[in-house]
Amino acid sequence: NTPSIGLTGLAVMGRNLARNIAGHGHALAVHNRSPERTRALVEGFGDDVAAQGGRFVPSESLEDFVASIERPRTIIVMVKAGEGTDAVIDALVPLLDPDDIVVDAGNAHPDDTRRRQEALAAHDLHFVGMGVSGGEEGALHGPSIMVGGSEHAYAHLGPVVESIAAQVDGVPCAMHVGPDAAGHFVKMVHNGIEYADMQLIAEAYDLLRSVGGLSPAEIAEVFAGWNEGELESFLIEMTADVLAHTDAATGQPFVDVVLDAAEQKGTGRWTVQSALDLGVPVTGIAEATFARALSGHTEQREVAREVFGTDLREVEVDRDRFVDDVRAALFASKVVAYAQGFDQVQAGSREHDWDVDPGALATIWRGGCIIRAQFLDRIREAYDADPKLTSLLTAPYFADAVRTGEAAWRRVVATAAQAGVPAPAFASSLAFFDGLRRDRLPAALIQGLRDDFGAHTYRRVDRPGTFHTDWAGDRTEKEQ
Ligand code: 6PG
């Protein structure tokens, strides 16, 4: 059987994806710029995939690779995002035939995906931006796959990605999210939520340690316990694992020997930039991204430590109660972060006419991806019950969860502020919740100020129309 699908770019993610595809009984053409990697793949895993009814068809040159694939070809590109992707696409295009499908499985910026799609459409080629989540392990054993692009492309690619994706209750964690950049857009937001989730976990850890007085090993136990309940998720499980780990060289908790400056490849930043453009308040994701930035400002941090000192302020807490309060605050804040992420997905979908189904998206995030969590089932149910849901936060299950945790959430944010332990994601999530439910927001005053200094006009609560007050003159109001 001649392959109708190929994969180029055999670094860790590409290699594992290739093993996964061929391991599911598919014939797969494989190629890498340096042929050693292609050889290593075939030598190392050719027999394994043959035992599963699949096979690798290796090529050393891009020309042979393309020629080894049956038309219409589906070619997955798994190279370093950015210029690396453009270089491979440019080399591929002259070798392809109309209706062939090029799939970018990296973490591309949705704007790049739109640009590439338009460029390839001019050659009668289909371009698919495909979000793949789950890291190296996921790529090998079952990732969550968010496919953009045309129906034609999904008709060819869908059966393969659905066979290799994680399966939850027999449902594959892969879908055609929508046309053009929809797949990469939702993957970007997935990563934004991942940033918020991790920041919330980090704040919970910091508070338990600095205010609650628990050791990393004890906090590992706490997280392992939380993973048995409504917080059950991959990241909570990983937190228990990382906190329980001891550094071999020093015998210290691993978390104490790691430099406290969080890095990023950029998907969180893109999410926030896109949210600003769309006008969607993703405060949890934004705080998480800024918290990483703050952690990296080592010079400023050093000066501030010298000037202000590092002492925490004294606060009294009951340890067991505090642990439970932090759990409740974490869950409520997490609900806010996911609600904001889903708001952004829907805003992006409206902006570009993608018609993304949020319930289906929650379904494919239940397994394989980094933010997989038990409560994504609840998100799916909320959208099933009301496909037009305005905000996840107000869906019955989440509204109840937030109401139940509200008092604890406030105590934790207040305690953090009193102690001097930064909890920006906890605090901003609470402020978002309060902002949404507020009877009158001080935005009215902002409108007044804008009208006063810049004649920017305002609307009134009691009648329709747009108004301006003659602030500098006799203060009469005129309808504009
Ligand atoms: C995934 C992850 C992955 C991402 C890393 C690192 O879904 O498998 O989101 O795509 O590259 O999590 O992201 P940062 O380096 O930006 O933290």
Side-chain angles (χ1 to χ4, degrees):
N1 56 346
T2 314
S4 58
I5 182 161
L7 191 151
T8 178
L10 297 173
V12 188
M13 286 293 287
R15 186 181 65 213
N16 284 358
L17 210 56
R19 286 175 58 192
N20 189 353
I21 296 172
H24 276 85
H26 302 281
L28 179 72
V30 285
H31 168 264
N32 189 68
R33 197 168 50 168
S34 54
E36 294 75 31
R37 281 205 169 138
T38 317
R39 276 182 228 131
L41 173 72
V42 177
E43 278 160 25
F45 305 104
D47 290 345
D48 290 354
V49 304
Q52 305 299 320
R55 70 186 182 110
F56 293 124
V57 178
S59 295
E60 302 221 338
S61 75
L62 202 60
E63 288 76 6
D64 290 348
F65 167 66
V66 170
S68 73
I69 308 169
E70 202 172 71
R71 291 175 59 190
R73 308 176 179 94
T74 300
I75 297 184
I76 301 176
V77 178
M78 195 54 156
V79 298
K80 203 169 174 318
E83 284 169 16
T85 308
D86 281 322
V88 174
I89 293 173
D90 289 348
L92 272 175
V93 166
L95 307 174
L96 300 177
D97 292 288
D99 268 345
D100 282 353
I101 301 154
V102 178
V103 183
D104 173 12
N107 270 334
H109 193 293
D111 290 349
D112 284 335
T113 301
R114 295 169 71 83
R115 170 177 61 75
R116 289 173 183 140
Q117 200 208 8
E118 279 165 25
L120 265 65
H123 296 273
D124 290 327
L125 298 169
H126 293 262
F127 184 73
V128 173
M130 180 168 94
V132 180
S133 178
E136 294 169 26
E137 283 294 296
L140 182 59
H141 298 296
S144 173
I145 308 180
M146 296 144 252
V147 183
S150 64
E151 296 282 352
H152 163 91
Y154 198 75
H156 290 270
L157 184 61
V160 177
V161 296
E162 287 178 19
S163 73
I164 65 161
Q167 313 279 323
V168 176
D169 305 333
V171 180
C173 294
M175 71 184 264
H176 184 214
V177 179
D180 74 272
H184 273 153
F185 183 85
V186 301
K187 176 57 173 48
M188 177 187 78
V189 177
H190 163 284
N191 280 27
I193 296 174
E194 172 185 308
Y195 277 44
D197 232 345
M198 288 198 285
Q199 176 63 25
L200 291 167
I201 287 172
E203 289 175 16
Y205 149 76
D206 197 6
L207 285 163
L208 292 179
R209 190 162 183 188
S210 311
V211 178
L214 282 78
S215 69
E218 288 170 327
I219 303 171
E221 295 282 316
V222 167
F223 271 86
W226 290 352
N227 200 40
E228 306 286 310
E230 61 191 358
L231 276 167
E232 182 191 331
S233 62
F234 176 63
L235 285 170
I236 295 280
E237 185 191 332
M238 298 264 292
T239 305
D241 190 31
V242 171
L243 286 175
H245 184 57
T246 305
D247 176 51
T250 60
Q252 291 196 54
F254 167 79
V255 72
D256 286 347
V257 301
V258 177
L259 192 75
D260 57 341
E263 296 174 13
Q264 61 161 311
K265 291 194 207 72
T267 42
R269 186 176 68 240
W270 297 345
T271 310
V272 180
Q273 286 167 337
S274 147
L276 289 172
D277 289 339
L278 291 165
V280 185
V282 292
T283 56
I285 300 172
E287 288 297 353
T289 309
F290 285 133
R292 287 197 192 189
L294 186 147
S295 75
H297 278 258
T298 35
E299 253 181 70
Q300 275 193 27
R301 287 177 58 193
E302 200 178 316
V303 181
R305 281 199 297 265
E306 275 164 23
V307 173
F308 300 112
T310 60
D311 289 352
L312 291 183
R313 311 301 181 232
E314 221 27 72
V315 279
E316 289 287 317
V317 294
D318 173 86
R319 187 173 142 135
D320 289 344
R321 184 177 166 196
F322 188 63
V323 170
D324 207 50
D325 277 1
V326 172
R327 184 197 52 75
L330 178 57
F331 191 63
S333 305
K334 186 178 161 101
V335 170
V336 168
Y338 280 65
Q340 293 179 340
F342 274 83
D343 283 349
Q344 182 168 359
V345 165
Q346 286 178 293
S349 174
R350 275 193 300 274
E351 170 89 5
H352 299 288
D353 276 329
W354 286 331
D355 206 17
V356 177
D357 175 348
L361 187 60
T363 306
I364 66 157
W365 282 352
R366 292 182 307 162
C369 64
I370 304 293
I371 65 169
R372 62 185 182 260
Q374 191 216 61
F375 98 142
L376 278 153
D377 256 329
R378 308 284 90 74
I379 298 183
R380 181 181 54 83
E381 285 162 11
Y383 283 112
D384 279 353
D386 179 5
K388 300 227 171 325
L389 192 63
T390 322
S391 166
L392 259 186
L393 207 53
T394 54
Y397 175 84
F398 296 106
D400 271 356
V402 170
R403 269 190 219 109
T404 312
E406 184 186 330
W409 198 7
R410 293 191 192 287
R411 282 195 294 272
V412 169
V413 171
T415 304
Q418 279 172 343
V421 175
F426 276 169
S428 74
S429 308
L430 181 59
F432 176 84
F433 165 70
D434 283 329
L436 279 187
R437 65 181 198 90
R438 192 99 164 95
D439 175 24
R440 292 270 300 154
L441 285 169
L445 175 59
I446 292 172
Q447 284 297 78
L449 292 168
R450 291 176 67 244
D451 191 56
D452 189 343
F453 68 68
H456 293 302
T457 73
Y458 52 89
R459 284 172 295 154
R460 297 183 55 98
V461 294
D462 51 0
R463 50 182 202 272
T466 305
F467 301 89
H468 167 60
T469 289
D470 180 13
W471 295 96
D474 62 2
R475 304 206 163 203
T476 52
E477 180 180 80
K478 283 209 178 67
E479 190 165 355
Q480 300 298 295

